[in-house]
Coordinates of all heavy atoms in Angstrom, one line a residue:
M1 N 205.1 -83.4 -253.8 CA 203.9 -82.6 -253.8 C 202.8 -83.2 -254.7 O 201.7 -83.2 -254.3 CB 204.2 -81.2 -254.2 CG 205.3 -80.4 -253.4 SD 204.8 -80.1 -251.8 CE 204.0 -78.6 -252.0
V2 N 203.2 -83.7 -255.8 CA 202.2 -84.2 -256.7 C 201.5 -85.4 -256.1 O 200.3 -85.6 -256.3 CB 202.9 -84.6 -258.1 CG1 201.9 -85.3 -259.0 CG2 203.4 -83.3 -258.7
K3 N 202.2 -86.3 -255.4 CA 201.6 -87.5 -254.9 C 200.4 -87.2 -254.0 O 199.5 -87.9 -254.0 CB 202.7 -88.2 -254.1 CG 202.2 -89.5 -253.4 CD 203.3 -90.2 -252.7 CE 202.9 -91.4 -252.0 NZ 203.9 -92.1 -251.2
H4 N 200.5 -86.1 -253.2 CA 199.5 -85.9 -252.2 C 198.5 -84.7 -252.5 O 197.4 -84.7 -252.0 CB 200.1 -85.6 -250.8 CG 200.9 -86.8 -250.3 ND1 200.3 -88.0 -249.9 CD2 202.2 -87.0 -250.1 CE1 201.2 -88.8 -249.5 NE2 202.3 -88.2 -249.7
A5 N 199.0 -83.7 -253.3 CA 198.2 -82.5 -253.4 C 198.0 -81.9 -254.8 O 197.3 -81.0 -254.9 CB 198.9 -81.4 -252.5
D6 N 198.7 -82.4 -255.8 CA 198.6 -81.8 -257.1 C 198.9 -80.3 -257.0 O 198.3 -79.5 -257.7 CB 197.2 -82.0 -257.7 CG 197.0 -83.4 -258.2 OD1 198.0 -84.1 -258.6 OD2 195.9 -83.9 -258.2
A7 N 199.9 -80.0 -256.2 CA 200.3 -78.6 -256.0 C 201.2 -78.1 -257.2 O 202.0 -78.9 -257.7 CB 201.0 -78.4 -254.7
S8 N 201.0 -76.9 -257.6 CA 201.9 -76.3 -258.6 C 202.9 -75.3 -257.9 O 203.9 -75.0 -258.5 CB 201.2 -75.6 -259.7 OG 200.3 -74.6 -259.1
N9 N 202.6 -74.9 -256.7 CA 203.5 -74.0 -256.0 C 203.6 -74.4 -254.5 O 202.6 -74.8 -254.0 CB 203.1 -72.5 -256.1 CG 203.2 -72.0 -257.5 OD1 204.3 -71.8 -258.0 ND2 202.0 -71.7 -258.1
A10 N 204.7 -74.1 -253.9 CA 204.9 -74.3 -252.5 C 205.8 -73.2 -251.9 O 206.7 -72.7 -252.6 CB 205.5 -75.7 -252.2
H11 N 205.5 -72.8 -250.7 CA 206.2 -71.8 -250.0 C 206.8 -72.4 -248.7 O 206.0 -73.0 -248.0 CB 205.3 -70.6 -249.8 CG 206.1 -69.5 -249.1 ND1 206.9 -68.6 -249.8 CD2 206.1 -69.0 -247.8 CE1 207.4 -67.7 -248.9 NE2 206.9 -68.0 -247.7
I12 N 208.1 -72.2 -248.5 CA 208.7 -72.8 -247.3 C 209.3 -71.6 -246.5 O 210.0 -70.8 -247.0 CB 209.9 -73.7 -247.7 CG1 209.3 -74.9 -248.5 CG2 210.6 -74.3 -246.4 CD1 210.3 -75.8 -249.1
T13 N 209.0 -71.6 -245.2 CA 209.5 -70.6 -244.3 C 210.2 -71.3 -243.2 O 209.7 -72.3 -242.6 CB 208.3 -69.8 -243.7 OG1 207.6 -69.2 -244.7 CG2 208.9 -68.7 -242.8
V14 N 211.4 -70.8 -242.9 CA 212.2 -71.3 -241.8 C 212.4 -70.2 -240.8 O 212.9 -69.1 -241.2 CB 213.6 -71.9 -242.2 CG1 214.4 -72.4 -241.1 CG2 213.4 -73.0 -243.3
T15 N 212.1 -70.4 -239.5 CA 212.2 -69.4 -238.5 C 213.0 -70.0 -237.4 O 212.7 -71.1 -236.9 CB 210.9 -69.0 -237.9 OG1 210.0 -68.5 -239.0 CG2 211.0 -67.8 -236.9
Y16 N 214.1 -69.4 -236.9 CA 214.9 -69.9 -235.9 C 215.0 -68.9 -234.8 O 215.3 -67.7 -235.0 CB 216.3 -70.2 -236.4 CG 217.3 -70.8 -235.4 CD1 217.2 -72.1 -235.2 CD2 218.2 -70.0 -234.8 CE1 218.1 -72.7 -234.3 CE2 219.1 -70.6 -233.9 CZ 219.0 -71.9 -233.6 OH 219.9 -72.5 -232.7
G17 N 214.8 -69.3 -233.5 CA 214.9 -68.4 -232.4 C 215.7 -69.1 -231.3 O 216.2 -70.2 -231.5
P18 N 215.8 -68.4 -230.1 CA 216.6 -69.0 -229.1 C 216.1 -70.3 -228.5 O 216.8 -71.1 -227.9 CB 216.7 -67.9 -228.0 CG 215.5 -67.0 -228.3 CD 215.2 -67.2 -229.8
C19 N 214.8 -70.6 -228.7 CA 214.2 -71.8 -228.1 C 213.6 -72.7 -229.1 O 213.2 -73.8 -228.7 CB 213.1 -71.4 -227.1 SG 213.8 -70.4 -225.7
E20 N 213.4 -72.3 -230.3 CA 212.6 -73.1 -231.3 C 213.0 -72.9 -232.7 O 213.3 -71.8 -233.1 CB 211.1 -72.7 -231.1 CG 210.1 -73.5 -231.9 CD 208.7 -73.1 -231.5 OE1 208.3 -72.0 -231.9 OE2 208.1 -73.9 -230.8
L21 N 213.0 -73.9 -233.5 CA 213.1 -73.9 -234.9 C 211.7 -74.3 -235.5 O 211.1 -75.2 -235.1 CB 214.1 -75.0 -235.4 CG 214.2 -75.2 -236.9 CD1 214.8 -74.0 -237.6 CD2 215.1 -76.4 -237.2
T22 N 211.2 -73.4 -236.4 CA 209.9 -73.7 -237.0 C 210.1 -73.8 -238.5 O 210.7 -72.9 -239.1 CB 208.9 -72.6 -236.6 OG1 208.8 -72.5 -235.2 CG2 207.6 -72.9 -237.2
L23 N 209.5 -74.8 -239.1 CA 209.5 -75.0 -240.6 C 208.0 -75.0 -241.0 O 207.2 -75.8 -240.4 CB 210.1 -76.3 -241.0 CG 211.5 -76.6 -240.5 CD1 211.9 -78.0 -240.6 CD2 212.5 -75.7 -241.3
T24 N 207.7 -74.2 -241.9 CA 206.3 -74.1 -242.4 C 206.3 -74.3 -243.9 O 207.0 -73.6 -244.6 CB 205.6 -72.8 -242.1 OG1 205.7 -72.6 -240.7 CG2 204.1 -72.8 -242.5
V25 N 205.5 -75.2 -244.4 CA 205.4 -75.5 -245.8 C 203.9 -75.3 -246.2 O 203.0 -76.0 -245.6 CB 205.8 -76.9 -246.2 CG1 205.6 -77.1 -247.7 CG2 207.3 -77.2 -245.8
T26 N 203.6 -74.4 -247.1 CA 202.3 -74.1 -247.6 C 202.2 -74.3 -249.1 O 203.1 -73.8 -249.8 CB 201.8 -72.7 -247.2 OG1 202.0 -72.5 -245.9 CG2 200.4 -72.4 -247.6
D27 N 201.2 -75.1 -249.6 CA 201.1 -75.2 -251.0 C 199.8 -74.8 -251.5 O 198.9 -74.4 -250.7 CB 201.5 -76.7 -251.4 CG 200.4 -77.7 -251.0 OD1 199.2 -77.3 -250.9 OD2 200.8 -78.8 -250.7
D28 N 199.6 -74.8 -252.8 CA 198.3 -74.4 -253.4 C 197.5 -75.6 -254.0 O 196.7 -75.5 -254.8 CB 198.5 -73.4 -254.5 CG 199.3 -73.9 -255.7 OD1 199.8 -75.1 -255.6 OD2 199.5 -73.2 -256.7
G29 N 197.8 -76.8 -253.4 CA 197.2 -78.0 -254.0 C 195.8 -78.3 -253.4 O 195.3 -77.5 -252.5
T30 N 195.2 -79.4 -253.8 CA 194.0 -79.8 -253.3 C 194.2 -81.0 -252.4 O 195.2 -81.8 -252.5 CB 193.0 -80.3 -254.4 OG1 193.7 -81.3 -255.2 CG2 192.7 -79.2 -255.4
I31 N 193.4 -81.2 -251.4 CA 193.6 -82.2 -250.4 C 193.0 -83.5 -250.9 O 191.8 -83.5 -251.3 CB 193.0 -81.8 -249.0 CG1 193.7 -80.6 -248.5 CG2 193.1 -82.9 -248.0 CD1 193.0 -79.9 -247.4
R32 N 193.8 -84.6 -251.0 CA 193.2 -85.9 -251.4 C 194.1 -86.9 -250.8 O 195.3 -86.7 -250.6 CB 193.2 -86.0 -252.9 CG 194.5 -85.9 -253.6 CD 194.3 -86.0 -255.2 NE 195.6 -85.8 -255.8 CZ 196.4 -86.8 -256.1 NH1 196.2 -88.0 -255.7 NH2 197.6 -86.5 -256.7
P33 N 193.6 -88.1 -250.6 CA 194.4 -89.2 -250.0 C 195.4 -89.7 -251.0 O 195.1 -89.7 -252.2 CB 193.4 -90.3 -249.6 CG 192.1 -89.9 -250.4 CD 192.2 -88.5 -250.7
A34 N 196.5 -90.1 -250.5 CA 197.6 -90.7 -251.4 C 197.2 -92.1 -251.8 O 196.7 -92.9 -251.0 CB 198.9 -90.7 -250.6
P35 N 197.3 -92.4 -253.1 CA 197.0 -93.8 -253.6 C 198.0 -94.8 -253.0 O 199.2 -94.5 -252.9 CB 197.1 -93.6 -255.1 CG 198.0 -92.5 -255.3 CD 197.8 -91.5 -254.2
G36 N 197.5 -95.9 -252.6 CA 198.4 -97.0 -252.1 C 199.3 -96.7 -250.9 O 200.4 -97.1 -250.8
R37 N 198.8 -95.9 -250.0 CA 199.5 -95.5 -248.8 C 200.7 -96.4 -248.5 O 200.6 -97.5 -248.0 CB 198.6 -95.5 -247.6 CG 197.4 -94.6 -247.8 CD 196.5 -94.6 -246.6 NE 197.4 -94.3 -245.4 CZ 197.1 -93.3 -244.5 NH1 196.1 -92.6 -244.7 NH2 197.9 -93.2 -243.5
T38 N 201.9 -95.8 -248.8 CA 203.1 -96.6 -248.6 C 203.9 -96.2 -247.4 O 204.9 -96.8 -247.1 CB 204.0 -96.5 -249.9 OG1 204.3 -95.1 -250.0 CG2 203.4 -97.0 -251.1
G39 N 203.6 -95.1 -246.7 CA 204.3 -94.7 -245.6 C 203.4 -94.3 -244.4 O 202.3 -94.6 -244.4
R40 N 204.0 -93.6 -243.5 CA 203.3 -93.2 -242.3 C 202.8 -91.8 -242.3 O 202.1 -91.3 -241.5 CB 204.1 -93.5 -241.0 CG 204.5 -94.9 -240.9 CD 204.1 -95.6 -239.7 NE 203.5 -94.6 -238.8 CZ 203.2 -94.9 -237.6 NH1 203.6 -96.0 -237.0 NH2 202.7 -94.0 -236.8
G41 N 203.3 -91.0 -243.3 CA 202.9 -89.7 -243.6 C 202.9 -88.7 -242.3 O 203.8 -88.7 -241.6
L42 N 201.8 -88.0 -242.2 CA 201.7 -87.0 -241.1 C 201.7 -87.7 -239.7 O 202.4 -87.1 -238.8 CB 200.4 -86.2 -241.3 CG 200.4 -85.3 -242.5 CD1 199.0 -84.6 -242.6 CD2 201.4 -84.2 -242.4
P43 N 201.1 -88.8 -239.5 CA 201.2 -89.4 -238.2 C 202.7 -89.8 -237.8 O 203.1 -89.6 -236.7 CB 200.4 -90.7 -238.2 CG 199.3 -90.4 -239.3 CD 200.1 -89.5 -240.3
G44 N 203.4 -90.2 -238.8 CA 204.8 -90.6 -238.6 C 205.7 -89.3 -238.3 O 206.5 -89.3 -237.4
M45 N 205.4 -88.2 -239.0 CA 206.1 -87.0 -238.8 C 205.8 -86.5 -237.4 O 206.6 -86.0 -236.6 CB 205.7 -85.9 -239.8 CG 206.2 -86.2 -241.2 SD 205.5 -85.2 -242.5 CE 206.0 -83.6 -242.0
R46 N 204.5 -86.6 -237.0 CA 204.1 -86.1 -235.6 C 204.8 -86.9 -234.5 O 205.3 -86.4 -233.6 CB 202.6 -86.4 -235.5 CG 201.9 -85.2 -234.9 CD 200.3 -85.3 -234.9 NE 199.8 -84.3 -235.6 CZ 199.1 -84.4 -236.8 NH1 198.9 -85.5 -237.3 NH2 198.6 -83.3 -237.4
E47 N 204.9 -88.2 -234.7 CA 205.6 -89.1 -233.8 C 207.1 -88.8 -233.6 O 207.6 -88.7 -232.5 CB 205.4 -90.6 -234.2 CG 204.1 -91.1 -234.0 CD 203.9 -92.5 -234.5 OE1 204.9 -93.1 -234.9 OE2 202.8 -93.0 -234.5
R48 N 207.7 -88.5 -234.8 CA 209.2 -88.2 -234.7 C 209.4 -86.9 -234.1 O 210.4 -86.7 -233.3 CB 209.7 -88.3 -236.2 CG 209.9 -89.7 -236.7 CD 210.6 -89.8 -238.0 NE 209.9 -89.3 -239.1 CZ 209.0 -89.9 -239.8 NH1 208.6 -91.1 -239.4 NH2 208.4 -89.3 -240.8
L49 N 208.6 -85.9 -234.3 CA 208.7 -84.6 -233.7 C 208.5 -84.7 -232.2 O 209.2 -84.1 -231.4 CB 207.8 -83.6 -234.3 CG 208.3 -83.0 -235.6 CD1 207.1 -82.3 -236.3 CD2 209.4 -82.0 -235.4
A50 N 207.5 -85.5 -231.8 CA 207.1 -85.6 -230.4 C 208.3 -86.3 -229.6 O 208.5 -85.9 -228.5 CB 205.9 -86.5 -230.2
L51 N 209.0 -87.2 -230.2 CA 210.2 -87.8 -229.6 C 211.2 -86.7 -229.2 O 212.0 -87.0 -228.2 CB 210.9 -88.8 -230.5 CG 210.2 -90.1 -230.8 CD1 210.9 -90.9 -231.8 CD2 210.1 -90.9 -229.5
H52 N 211.2 -85.6 -229.8 CA 212.2 -84.5 -229.5 C 211.5 -83.3 -228.9 O 212.1 -82.2 -228.9 CB 213.0 -84.2 -230.8 CG 213.7 -85.3 -231.4 ND1 214.9 -85.8 -230.8 CD2 213.4 -86.2 -232.4 CE1 215.3 -86.8 -231.5 NE2 214.4 -87.1 -232.5
G53 N 210.3 -83.5 -228.4 CA 209.6 -82.4 -227.8 C 208.9 -81.4 -228.8 O 208.5 -80.3 -228.4
G54 N 208.8 -81.8 -230.1 CA 208.3 -80.9 -231.1 C 206.8 -81.2 -231.3 O 206.2 -82.1 -230.8
I55 N 206.2 -80.3 -232.1 CA 204.8 -80.3 -232.5 C 204.6 -80.2 -234.0 O 205.3 -79.4 -234.6 CB 204.1 -79.2 -231.8 CG1 204.2 -79.3 -230.2 CG2 202.6 -79.1 -232.2 CD1 203.7 -78.1 -229.5
L56 N 203.7 -80.9 -234.5 CA 203.4 -80.8 -235.9 C 201.9 -80.4 -236.0 O 201.0 -81.0 -235.4 CB 203.6 -82.2 -236.7 CG 203.3 -82.1 -238.2 CD1 204.4 -81.5 -238.9 CD2 202.9 -83.5 -238.7
Q57 N 201.7 -79.4 -236.8 CA 200.3 -78.9 -237.2 C 200.1 -79.1 -238.7 O 201.0 -78.7 -239.4 CB 200.1 -77.5 -236.8 CG 200.3 -77.2 -235.3 CD 200.4 -75.8 -235.0 OE1 200.9 -75.0 -235.7 NE2 199.8 -75.4 -233.8
A58 N 199.0 -79.6 -239.1 CA 198.8 -79.8 -240.5 C 197.3 -79.7 -240.8 O 196.5 -80.1 -240.0 CB 199.3 -81.2 -241.0
G59 N 197.0 -79.0 -241.9 CA 195.6 -78.9 -242.3 C 195.4 -77.9 -243.4 O 196.4 -77.4 -243.9
P60 N 194.2 -77.6 -243.8 CA 193.9 -76.7 -244.9 C 194.5 -75.3 -244.5 O 194.4 -74.9 -243.4 CB 192.4 -76.6 -245.0 CG 191.9 -77.9 -244.3 CD 193.0 -78.2 -243.3
A61 N 195.1 -74.7 -245.5 CA 195.6 -73.3 -245.3 C 194.5 -72.3 -245.4 O 193.5 -72.6 -246.2 CB 196.7 -73.0 -246.3
A62 N 194.6 -71.2 -244.8 CA 193.6 -70.2 -244.8 C 193.3 -69.6 -246.2 O 192.2 -69.3 -246.6 CB 193.9 -69.0 -243.9
T63 N 194.3 -69.6 -247.0 CA 194.2 -69.1 -248.4 C 194.0 -70.2 -249.4 O 194.1 -70.0 -250.6 CB 195.5 -68.4 -248.8 OG1 196.6 -69.3 -248.6 CG2 195.7 -67.1 -247.9
G64 N 193.7 -71.4 -249.0 CA 193.5 -72.6 -249.9 C 194.8 -73.4 -249.9 O 195.8 -72.9 -249.4
G65 N 194.7 -74.6 -250.4 CA 195.9 -75.4 -250.3 C 196.0 -76.1 -249.0 O 195.1 -76.3 -248.2
F66 N 197.3 -76.4 -248.6 CA 197.5 -77.2 -247.4 C 198.8 -76.6 -246.7 O 199.7 -76.1 -247.4 CB 197.8 -78.7 -247.8 CG 197.6 -79.6 -246.6 CD1 196.4 -79.9 -246.1 CD2 198.7 -80.2 -246.0 CE1 196.2 -80.8 -245.1 CE2 198.6 -81.0 -244.9 CZ 197.3 -81.4 -244.5
R67 N 198.8 -76.7 -245.4 CA 199.9 -76.1 -244.6 C 200.4 -77.1 -243.6 O 199.6 -77.7 -242.9 CB 199.5 -74.8 -243.9 CG 200.6 -74.2 -243.1 CD 200.1 -73.0 -242.4 NE 199.6 -73.5 -241.1 CZ 199.9 -72.9 -240.0 NH1 200.5 -71.8 -239.9 NH2 199.4 -73.4 -238.8
V68 N 201.7 -77.3 -243.5 CA 202.3 -78.2 -242.5 C 203.3 -77.3 -241.8 O 204.1 -76.7 -242.4 CB 203.0 -79.4 -243.1 CG1 203.7 -80.2 -242.1 CG2 202.0 -80.3 -243.9
R69 N 203.2 -77.3 -240.4 CA 204.1 -76.5 -239.6 C 204.7 -77.4 -238.5 O 204.0 -78.0 -237.7 CB 203.3 -75.4 -238.9 CG 204.2 -74.5 -238.1 CD 203.3 -73.3 -237.6 NE 204.1 -72.3 -236.9 CZ 204.2 -72.2 -235.6 NH1 203.5 -72.9 -234.8 NH2 205.0 -71.2 -235.1
A70 N 206.1 -77.5 -238.5 CA 206.8 -78.3 -237.5 C 207.6 -77.3 -236.6 O 208.3 -76.5 -237.1 CB 207.7 -79.2 -238.2
S71 N 207.4 -77.4 -235.3 CA 208.1 -76.6 -234.3 C 208.9 -77.6 -233.5 O 208.4 -78.6 -232.9 CB 207.1 -75.9 -233.4 OG 206.3 -75.0 -234.2
I72 N 210.2 -77.3 -233.4 CA 211.2 -78.2 -232.7 C 212.0 -77.3 -231.7 O 212.6 -76.3 -232.1 CB 212.1 -78.8 -233.7 CG1 211.4 -79.5 -234.9 CG2 213.1 -79.8 -233.0 CD1 212.2 -79.7 -236.1
P73 N 211.9 -77.7 -230.4 CA 212.7 -77.0 -229.4 C 214.2 -77.2 -229.7 O 214.7 -78.3 -230.1 CB 212.4 -77.6 -228.1 CG 211.6 -78.9 -228.4 CD 211.2 -78.8 -229.8
V74 N 215.0 -76.1 -229.5 CA 216.5 -76.2 -229.8 C 217.3 -76.0 -228.5 O 218.5 -76.2 -228.6 CB 216.9 -75.2 -230.9 CG1 216.3 -75.6 -232.2 CG2 216.6 -73.8 -230.5
D75 N 216.7 -75.6 -227.5 CA 217.4 -75.3 -226.2 C 216.7 -76.1 -225.1 O 215.9 -75.5 -224.4 CB 217.5 -73.8 -225.9 CG 218.4 -73.6 -224.8 OD1 219.3 -74.4 -224.5 OD2 218.3 -72.5 -224.2
G76 N 217.0 -77.3 -225.0 CA 216.4 -78.1 -223.9 C 217.3 -79.2 -223.5 O 218.4 -79.4 -224.0
P77 N 216.8 -80.0 -222.5 CA 217.7 -81.1 -222.0 C 217.8 -82.2 -223.0 O 216.9 -82.5 -223.8 CB 216.8 -81.6 -220.8 CG 215.4 -81.2 -221.1 CD 215.5 -79.9 -221.8
Q78 N 219.0 -82.6 -223.1 CA 219.4 -83.7 -224.0 C 219.6 -85.0 -223.2 O 220.4 -85.0 -222.3 CB 220.6 -83.4 -224.9 CG 220.4 -82.2 -225.7 CD 221.6 -81.8 -226.5 OE1 222.7 -82.4 -226.3 NE2 221.5 -80.7 -227.3
P79 N 218.9 -86.1 -223.5 CA 219.0 -87.3 -222.7 C 220.4 -87.7 -222.5 O 220.8 -88.1 -221.4 CB 218.2 -88.3 -223.5 CG 217.3 -87.5 -224.3 CD 218.0 -86.2 -224.6
S80 N 221.3 -87.7 -223.5 CA 222.7 -88.2 -223.4 C 223.5 -87.3 -222.4 O 224.3 -87.8 -221.6 CB 223.3 -88.3 -224.7 OG 223.4 -87.1 -225.3
T81 N 223.2 -86.0 -222.5 CA 223.9 -85.1 -221.6 C 223.5 -85.2 -220.2 O 224.3 -85.3 -219.2 CB 223.7 -83.6 -222.0 OG1 224.1 -83.5 -223.4 CG2 224.5 -82.6 -221.2
A82 N 222.2 -85.4 -220.0 CA 221.6 -85.5 -218.6 C 222.1 -86.8 -218.0 O 222.5 -86.8 -216.8 CB 220.1 -85.6 -218.7
A83 N 222.3 -87.9 -218.7 CA 222.8 -89.1 -218.2 C 224.2 -89.0 -217.7 O 224.7 -89.5 -216.7 CB 222.7 -90.2 -219.2
R84 N 225.1 -88.2 -218.4 CA 226.5 -88.0 -218.1 C 226.7 -87.1 -216.9 O 227.6 -87.2 -216.2 CB 227.2 -87.5 -219.2 CG 227.6 -88.5 -220.3 CD 228.4 -87.9 -221.4 NE 227.5 -87.3 -222.3 CZ 227.8 -86.4 -223.2 NH1 229.0 -86.0 -223.4 NH2 226.8 -86.0 -224.1
E85 N 225.7 -86.2 -216.6 CA 225.8 -85.3 -215.5 C 225.5 -85.9 -214.2 O 225.8 -85.3 -213.2 CB 225.0 -84.0 -215.8 CG 225.5 -83.2 -217.0 CD 224.6 -82.1 -217.3 OE1 223.5 -82.0 -216.7 OE2 225.0 -81.2 -218.1
R86 N 224.9 -87.0 -214.1 CA 224.5 -87.6 -212.9 C 225.7 -88.1 -212.1 O 226.6 -88.7 -212.8 CB 223.5 -88.8 -213.1 CG 222.2 -88.3 -213.6 CD 221.2 -89.5 -213.8 NE 220.0 -89.0 -214.4 CZ 219.3 -89.8 -215.1 NH1 219.5 -91.0 -215.3 NH2 218.2 -89.3 -215.7
P87 N 225.8 -88.0 -210.8 CA 226.9 -88.5 -210.0 C 227.0 -89.9 -210.0 O 226.0 -90.6 -210.1 CB 226.7 -87.8 -208.7 CG 225.4 -87.3 -208.6 CD 224.8 -87.2 -210.0

């Protein structure tokens, strides 16, 4: 948290339903670029979620700070299973 936001508090919510798992992280930090960008950050997270049919939303939180929300489908076709079911 300190690297990107200087946050002193973070709140994590996990919601699980029959079709989707959602993780939401909200902090009270300030938005600033990370020094010496060493990773892929939010674009990398977005790409990894998209590979599994998921969605990443990130931006300023309504109450200040920053919010990241990842939604991942949990009941969908799995490539390895689909390949085995073919005649």
